[in-house]
Amino acid sequence: MTIENENKNALVYSLEKSSQEAVEKSGLSSTFSLIEAADFLNNCDRSQFDPNNIPDWMIKARLDMMTPPPPPEYLFKFGDTPVMPKGDLEIISGRPKRGKSMFLSLLLGVLIGNRAIAGISPLRTLKETGRLLYFDSEASEYTAFANFDRVFRTLGMERFPLEEIGIHVIRMRKMSREERRRKMAEAICIVRPSILVIDNIKDFLLKGLNDDNLEFIDFLKKVSEATYSIGVIHLNPGTGEDKERGNTGSELQQECGDTWRVDKNNAGYFSATHALVRNSQEAPDVNFCINNLNQLAGVGVADIPILTAKTKIKRIFGTDVMVSEKKLYDVLKAEMPKATSNTQKDKNSREIIMNWVGMELIAQNDENKTYTRKI
């Protein structure tokens, strides 16, 4: 069906040739508006349906229950749950500077190293999937380099050109929005990727939910049909609401596959939660951090209260003050009751916990111990 012309009242459509005979037999003109089609349905004789007079496009588009489709091809496994299938746009969302790009780096590290990190395992290798095309419209050159350098550090590899393994990272920060769209389409046609990453989708959209943005969303959906596609979008900052920015963000949420919500706590660890589940079973959270070697690393659930306690201790005691063992342990006990419940009589265990939260013994006598912060 194509648009024939536009007037003040409605869009008028012209039927495809294969549909004309079926529609005209029903008494409706081959050129009509949607309102005319609705009026026709309200007044027609429904007994006149001819099951042998179905246009070609309907035969191709209707659900065939006699031919099972192939199973989804997933890219990763979070824990034991396969996630991120080919054929849908997967969304990573979160507030600004809360770890969305770090989560992308973690996924790329799993692919490049072909090994599990932080509970994420690869189900496809880059050699199996083909080329990866990454559009980065946010990071500066320094930040983009640092992000991928961290991936190499995590994998224990020396840096090498990403193109050698089929990864093409295209920086678009200095381009206009319209130029980004043109260059994206051009790069897709040149590279012909099997994995597509867009960080950040908002940088390719114009203000408001207009026809151009709807067309771009349709473009993303179409491209995603034959690729593993991952896009990043922002949540509204500081509102306390899990709401994507603007009408276009909401429209993307309606059209995408699964959504992963990324956040960062005060202790500095990141958490990616399976916030919107459509294509798979709900996957476990992915908890990760940047360790003191500038590597991406998993964070066990048991470690999270320790990290939280470390942050609170720093806030209470500062970075330079000395603190007695009793005062320090009272804070630890309040923050980590499970971790400290069995260590009251075990001084070695207590000292291990002190070390975990970044405290160092600087003085000791028979009556008391005094700790200060290592950092």
Side-chain angles (χ1 to χ4, degrees):
M1 185 181 294
T2 59
I3 297 177
E4 186 74 15
N5 65 293
E6 183 176 356
N7 56 41
K8 294 181 180 180
N9 298 319
L11 292 175
V12 177
Y13 296 90
S14 178
L15 290 172
E16 295 177 8
K17 185 176 181 180
S18 61
S19 302
Q20 288 180 7
E21 183 179 354
V23 170
E24 288 175 350
K25 278 188 175 181
S26 299
L28 186 66
S29 170
S30 61
T31 302
F32 61 93
S33 69
L34 293 179
I35 296 299
E36 288 172 337
D39 289 339
F40 168 80
L41 180 62
N42 290 335
N43 298 290
C44 72
D45 181 359
R46 287 177 170 78
S47 66
Q48 296 300 312
F49 170 66
D50 182 1
N52 297 316
N53 193 20
I54 303 294
D56 294 341
W57 73 266
M58 282 186 62
I59 294 174
K60 293 177 181 178
R62 64 187 177 185
L63 180 63
D64 180 6
M65 291 302 297
M66 302 308 295
T67 307
E73 298 178 26
Y74 293 98
L75 191 56
F76 299 106
K77 186 167 64 173
F78 288 12
D80 293 325
T81 306
V83 297
M84 299 194 177
K86 180 188 288 187
D88 266 313
L89 175 64
E90 302 288 290
I91 293 293
I92 295 173
S93 70
R95 291 179 175 81
K97 309 302 179 185
R98 305 298 287 183
K100 299 182 296 298
S101 295
M102 294 296 177
F103 185 47
L104 276 178
S105 295
L106 183 62
L107 296 176
L108 288 171
V110 171
L111 283 176
I112 293 172
N114 191 29
R115 65 178 177 85
I117 306 174
I120 302 176
S121 305
L123 290 178
R124 301 283 187 277
T125 66
L126 281 173
K127 188 175 182 179
E128 291 172 332
T129 60
R131 289 168 295 279
L132 185 152
L133 185 55
Y134 187 130
F135 295 104
D136 186 350
S137 59
E138 286 208 317
S140 66
E141 184 175 8
Y142 176 85
T143 301
F145 182 91
N147 286 343
F148 276 91
D149 183 59
R150 186 178 295 113
V151 172
F152 283 112
R153 287 174 179 269
T154 301
L155 298 173
M157 294 179 175
E158 295 292 330
R159 293 195 303 269
F160 57 81
L162 292 168
E163 297 79 14
E164 290 183 359
I165 56 172
I167 295 179
H168 300 262
V169 181
I170 310 299
R171 295 183 299 108
M172 293 186 154
R173 187 180 186 184
K174 296 181 180 180
M175 300 180 187
S176 69
R177 292 173 186 259
E178 291 185 357
E179 186 178 7
R180 287 172 190 149
R181 290 189 183 195
R182 293 197 306 271
K183 298 298 186 184
M184 172 186 280
E186 182 179 341
I188 286 174
C189 293
I190 292 172
V191 176
R192 304 180 186 185
S194 295
I195 305 175
L196 181 66
V197 179
I198 306 171
D199 184 9
N200 187 300
I201 289 177
K202 76 174 181 63
D203 293 330
F204 294 83
L205 301 173
L206 307 177
K207 290 184 178 180
L209 185 60
N210 53 39
D211 290 343
D212 286 335
N213 287 342
L214 290 175
E215 181 184 21
F216 186 74
I217 293 174
D218 287 341
F219 162 76
L220 293 180
K221 288 165 55 182
K222 192 71 174 177
V223 168
S224 300
E225 290 178 5
T227 61
Y228 299 98
S229 300
I230 303 171
V232 174
I233 59 176
H234 280 310
L235 294 174
N236 288 317
T239 62
E241 299 178 358
D242 292 336
K243 184 177 180 181
E244 281 63 30
R245 281 185 176 176
N247 293 331
T248 306
S250 299
E251 182 72 16
L252 271 168
Q253 287 282 268
Q254 297 296 322
E255 302 291 347
C256 72
D258 290 5
T259 296
W260 308 87
R261 189 72 39 82
V262 183
D263 204 358
K264 178 182 179 182
N265 82 339
N266 292 331
Y269 76 86
F270 304 94
S271 182
T273 303
H274 203 175
L276 180 61
V277 183
R278 284 179 174 158
N279 291 321
S280 62
Q281 298 178 351
E282 185 173 353
D285 292 355
V286 176
N287 300 298
F288 63 101
C289 66
I290 300 173
N291 65 19
N292 57 1
L293 298 176
N294 196 22
Q295 299 169 325
L296 294 161
V299 177
V301 174
D303 297 325
I304 293 174
I306 294 173
L307 292 170
T308 305
K310 181 175 180 178
T311 301
K312 189 163 187 175
I313 288 168
K314 183 176 181 180
R315 186 173 67 249
I316 293 173
F317 298 125
T319 57
D320 300 319
V321 299
M322 292 182 292
V323 58
S324 70
E325 179 188 33
K326 182 179 185 305
K327 189 173 183 180
L328 174 62
Y329 193 72
D330 286 344
V331 174
L332 291 174
K333 190 174 180 180
E335 289 296 315
M336 300 184 299
K338 291 184 179 180
T340 58
S341 60
N342 297 321
T343 60
Q344 186 66 38
K345 298 180 181 180
D346 187 343
K347 291 185 177 181
N348 290 332
S349 296
R350 291 171 70 177
E351 290 176 2
I352 289 172
I353 292 176
M354 305 291 187
N355 184 60
W356 276 346
V357 294
M359 304 301 290
E360 184 175 28
L361 180 66
I362 61 167
Q364 180 176 357
N365 55 45
D366 293 337
E367 296 181 357
N368 196 13
K369 296 179 181 178
T370 303
Y371 289 83
T372 187
R373 291 194 57 80
K374 289 180 179 179
I375 54 175

